[in-house]
């Protein structure tokens, strides 16, 4: 028997958690259907394939019957608001030749040569580039690929590749963003394998034990166990380790929700994307949407941005007595707060701010573009004590950043510390983020999406047009 695993020092080993039923996987695939275009199969938050972020690829390895599939299923269930696909290395077994079928019990299915690694590489590379792939279906009873059957796997936010030898080939390993090794006691794995091969695959117990002693255990010692050193995370006890899986999912969510600009500028905050948020963006960006629907869904998104922005304000702990006579320890809102809208588009965000902060004071700034002379301040009306307040600066679109910089400079001149300004907008262009963040590194920017770029006319692409005209009905 294989030796029980000991401490591991080159990666992260995580213990903890109690058992619960495993989840059912949610695949973005369909057997035997035509392959759609990669753009159509991916969530519609990006205007072109070149701007779409690459999927997050997770490799899950471990010995036979270690619980790899259970771990994958639990990760998929918790990532319910992202599109996730599961690819199994077992699908890429080579079909046995006639002479090999005649001596099937002498064939080593746990050796790297048993897999078509070149085809597996082709599959992963295409999925990472946003294309779909027709994964072969392998019959474990006949040991042949089903020539007229396949499982279509579409583009996704997260790709999970699981198999006993997915860490063995460096070409496959180097494509992974995270590598997980499921470490389960050898006796437990053998018991699971006996149950699986006898009940699910119709084999007798003597042949299972003979194969285990002759091929499975030596392959584990020679190929699988040594690949453990490449793991970023090691999960003892597999699917029973809920603490480990929760931490892994949190890490994946952080990586998925983090735009590249957020890594450069820690003051930039993009609210976590969900299909609800993407759906509302799809609606308000549609040039054919009705004015009523544009306002309705814009207001919903603005409310989310405002709520997220309020979460960056300081708070104090507060205790209250509930109607049951119990004491609840919570927090008290920041009292010294005001909003400032950049006229005119920024005024579209005022109702959401008033709905969240009862009786809040709101100031206004009007900045005019004066040809070659740049931006000029036309009008400002701000609370007299604004220097004592935290300021939520409102403008739905951050394009070049010039107007925002002018407004921020005015607030600083009025005595507002840069670190007390939170700039709220619906969409931001990378150019605008660079412009504002470089000049005001301690100011916070909160947005719901970062778009691709600015065009030659300094319009955000893909953008949503002139927001103020669409919102106030003056686009005609």
């Amino acid at each position: 028997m294989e030796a029980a695993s000991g401490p591991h020092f080159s990666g992260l080993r995580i213990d903890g958690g109690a058992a619960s039923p495993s989840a059912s996987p949610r695949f973005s695939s369909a057997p035997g259907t035509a392959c759609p275009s990669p753009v159509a199969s991916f969530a519609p938050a990006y205007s072109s394939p070149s701007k779409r972020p690459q999927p997050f690829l997770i490799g899950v390895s471990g010995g036979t019957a270690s619980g790899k599939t259970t771990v994958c299923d639990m990760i998929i269930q918790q990532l319910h608001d992202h599109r996730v696909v599961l690819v199994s290395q077992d699908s890429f077994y080579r079909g046995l030749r006639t002479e090999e079928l005649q001596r099937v019990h002498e064939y080593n299915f746990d050796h790297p040569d048993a897999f078509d690694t070149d085809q597996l590489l082709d599959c992963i590379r295409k999925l990472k580039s946003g294309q779909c792939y027709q994964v072969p279906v392998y019959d474990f009873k006949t040991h042949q690929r089903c020539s007229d059957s396949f499982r279509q796997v579409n583009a996704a936010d997260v790709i999970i590749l699981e198999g006993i030898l997915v860490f063995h080939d460096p070409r496959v390993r180097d494509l992974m963003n995270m590598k997980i090794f499921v470490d389960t006691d050898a006796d437990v794995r053998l018991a699971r394998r006996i149950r699986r091969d006898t009940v699910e695959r119709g084999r007798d117990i003597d042949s299972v034990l003979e194969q285990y002693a002759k091929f499975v255990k030596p392959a584990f010692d020679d190929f699988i166990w040594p690949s453990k050193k490449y793991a970023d995370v090691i999960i003892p006890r597999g699917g029973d380790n809920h603490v480990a899986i929760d931490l892994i999912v949190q890490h994946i969510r952080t990586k998925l929700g983090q735009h590249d600009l957020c890594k450069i500028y820690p003051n930039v905050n993009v609210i976590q994307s969900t299909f609800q948020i993407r759906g509302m963006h799809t609606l308000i960006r549609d040039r054919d949407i009705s004015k009523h629907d544009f306002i309705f869904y814009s207001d919903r998104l603005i409310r989310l941005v405002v709520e997220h922005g309020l979460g960056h304000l300081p708070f104090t702990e507060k205790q209250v007595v509930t109607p049951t006579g119990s004491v609840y320890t919570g927090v008290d809102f920041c009292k010294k707060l005001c909003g400032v809208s950049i006229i005119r588009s920024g005024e579209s965000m005022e109702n959401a701010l008033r709905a969240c902060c009862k009786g809040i004071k709101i100031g206004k700034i009007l900045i005019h573009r004066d040809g070659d002379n740049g931006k000029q301040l036309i009008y400002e009306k701000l609370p007299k004590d604004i220097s004592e307040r935290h300021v939520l600066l409102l403008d739905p679109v951050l394009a070049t950043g010039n107007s925002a910089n002018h407004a921020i400079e005015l607030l600083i001149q009025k005595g507002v510390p840069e670190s007390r300004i939170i700039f709220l907008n619906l969409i931001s262009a990378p150019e605008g983020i660079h412009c504002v963040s470089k000049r005001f590194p301690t100011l916070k920017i909160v947005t719901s999406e970062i778009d691709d770029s600015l065009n030659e006319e300094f319009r955000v692409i893909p953008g949503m047009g002139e927001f103020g005209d669409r919102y106030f009905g003056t686009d005609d």
Side-chain angles (χ1 to χ4, degrees):
M1 299 301 293
E2 303 153 20
S5 58
H8 181 84
F9 299 103
S10 63
L12 172 64
R13 185 181 181 95
I14 311 176
D15 294 272
S20 72
S22 62
S24 298
R26 182 173 66 88
F27 300 127
S28 179
S29 60
T33 55
C35 193
S37 69
V39 175
S41 65
F42 201 87
Y46 300 90
S47 59
S48 63
S50 63
K51 296 292 182 180
R52 184 183 304 123
Q54 278 208 338
F56 192 83
L57 177 60
I58 306 167
V60 180
S61 184
T64 179
S66 59
K68 298 183 297 295
T69 303
T70 300
V71 168
C72 293
D73 291 349
M74 294 173 73
I75 292 173
I76 290 169
Q77 185 193 42
Q78 292 193 40
L79 291 173
H80 56 84
D81 53 351
H82 293 281
R83 186 170 297 178
V84 187
V85 294
L86 177 64
V87 178
S88 176
Q89 187 182 28
D90 286 358
S91 299
F92 296 88
Y93 269 118
R94 302 179 187 274
L96 300 190
R97 298 186 295 270
T98 302
E99 58 272 21
E100 292 170 331
L101 285 171
Q102 292 173 350
R103 304 178 61 187
V104 67
H105 297 301
E106 298 295 321
Y107 189 82
N108 189 354
F109 290 94
D110 290 71
H111 193 278
D113 292 342
F115 297 94
D116 188 345
T117 304
D118 289 335
Q119 187 179 12
L120 175 63
L121 267 171
D122 182 56
C123 170
I124 297 303
R125 285 169 177 162
K126 286 185 176 177
L127 289 175
K128 287 206 74 170
S129 67
Q131 303 177 58
C132 60
Y133 199 87
Q134 296 179 355
V135 174
V137 174
Y138 185 84
D139 190 325
F140 287 92
K141 292 182 178 179
T142 64
H143 305 293
Q144 294 292 327
R145 292 185 179 183
C146 303
S147 58
D148 59 346
S149 183
F150 60 89
R151 181 172 71 89
Q152 179 184 298
V153 178
N154 294 331
D157 300 320
V158 179
I159 303 166
I160 302 178
L161 172 62
E162 68 90 15
I164 58 173
L165 291 167
V166 293
F167 295 167
H168 177 73
D169 194 307
R171 297 174 299 167
V172 179
R173 193 170 65 236
D174 291 346
L175 294 174
M176 298 173 184
N177 302 104
M178 175 187 277
K179 296 178 285 293
I180 300 170
F181 190 92
V182 182
D183 193 5
T184 303
D185 182 79
D187 292 339
V188 173
R189 291 191 289 104
L190 176 58
R192 289 175 180 173
R193 185 180 178 100
I194 291 172
R195 183 169 59 248
R196 183 194 70 189
D197 285 2
T198 55
V199 176
E200 298 178 18
R201 298 179 182 176
R203 298 174 56 193
D204 63 86
I205 192 168
D206 289 336
S207 68
V208 174
L209 292 173
E210 181 183 354
Q211 184 188 37
Y212 184 87
K214 189 171 185 179
F215 297 121
V216 177
K217 184 184 181 301
F220 180 88
D221 295 336
D222 293 341
F223 305 112
I224 302 170
W225 181 259
S227 73
K228 180 181 177 181
K229 66 184 177 183
Y230 300 112
D232 303 306
V233 180
I234 296 170
I235 306 181
R237 305 188 314 284
D240 293 340
N241 196 332
H242 288 253
V243 171
I245 293 167
D246 288 346
L247 290 171
I248 289 168
V249 170
Q250 289 177 29
H251 176 77
I252 296 169
R253 286 187 181 281
T254 300
K255 292 299 183 182
L256 289 175
Q258 194 173 49
H259 192 279
D260 288 341
L261 286 176
C262 299
K263 302 170 187 174
I264 300 172
Y265 303 114
N267 60 323
V268 176
N269 300 272
V270 183
I271 64 177
Q272 183 178 330
S273 180
T274 65
F275 285 122
Q276 276 288 315
I277 289 174
R278 288 181 177 183
M280 288 186 281
H281 266 283
T282 305
L283 288 165
I284 66 173
R285 292 170 185 267
D286 186 349
R287 65 182 180 182
D288 296 324
I289 192 175
S290 67
K291 177 175 177 290
H292 178 270
D293 285 347
F294 178 82
I295 294 172
F296 178 82
Y297 290 106
S298 294
D299 285 344
R300 281 189 61 190
L301 274 173
I302 291 168
R303 178 71 177 263
L304 291 174
V305 171
V306 169
E307 294 276 12
H308 194 90
L310 292 172
H312 290 277
L313 294 171
F315 61 87
T316 55
E317 187 176 286
K318 182 179 181 180
Q319 288 188 336
V320 296
V321 179
T322 71
T324 65
S326 305
V327 176
Y328 175 81
T329 302
V331 297
D332 198 10
F333 293 122
C334 174
K335 295 293 194 298
K336 303 293 283 187
L337 176 68
C338 74
V340 173
S341 59
I342 299 177
I343 301 174
R344 135 184 95 137
S345 295
E347 294 176 309
S348 65
M349 305 178 74
E350 293 179 4
N351 286 337
L353 182 56
R354 290 191 182 97
C356 295
C357 303
K358 183 179 180 181
I360 188 171
K361 292 184 177 181
I362 297 180
K364 297 179 185 291
I365 296 176
L366 175 59
I367 298 170
H368 176 64
R369 182 183 299 160
D370 187 16
D372 296 334
N373 296 324
K375 304 286 184 179
Q376 289 188 349
L377 176 66
I378 302 298
Y379 172 82
E380 57 94 355
K381 185 173 179 61
L382 304 171
K384 293 180 180 180
D385 61 347
I386 193 170
S387 63
E388 303 172 11
R389 297 175 178 269
H390 290 265
V391 177
L392 297 176
L393 184 61
L394 312 174
D395 195 359
V397 179
L398 172 58
T400 63
N402 293 329
S403 294
N405 281 353
H406 205 105
I408 295 163
E409 282 283 7
L410 175 62
L411 293 173
I412 293 173
Q413 290 171 15
K414 294 290 184 179
V416 182
E418 177 187 320
S419 59
R420 289 190 181 182
I421 303 172
I422 302 176
F423 184 26
L424 308 181
N425 55 80
L426 286 183
I427 63 170
S428 299
E431 294 86 343
I433 289 177
H434 285 299
C435 181
V436 174
S437 295
K438 286 180 180 178
R439 190 167 176 182
F440 306 107
T442 62
L443 165 143
K444 290 185 175 63
I445 298 175
V446 176
T447 187
S448 64
E449 276 194 358
I450 299 176
D451 275 25
D452 296 347
S453 62
L454 296 177
N455 64 10
E456 295 178 353
E457 299 175 344
F458 303 109
R459 292 177 178 269
V460 181
I461 299 299
M464 55 179 121
E466 292 292 342
F467 187 88
D469 284 339
R470 297 183 72 190
Y471 191 92
F472 296 112
T474 56
D475 52 349
D476 294 332

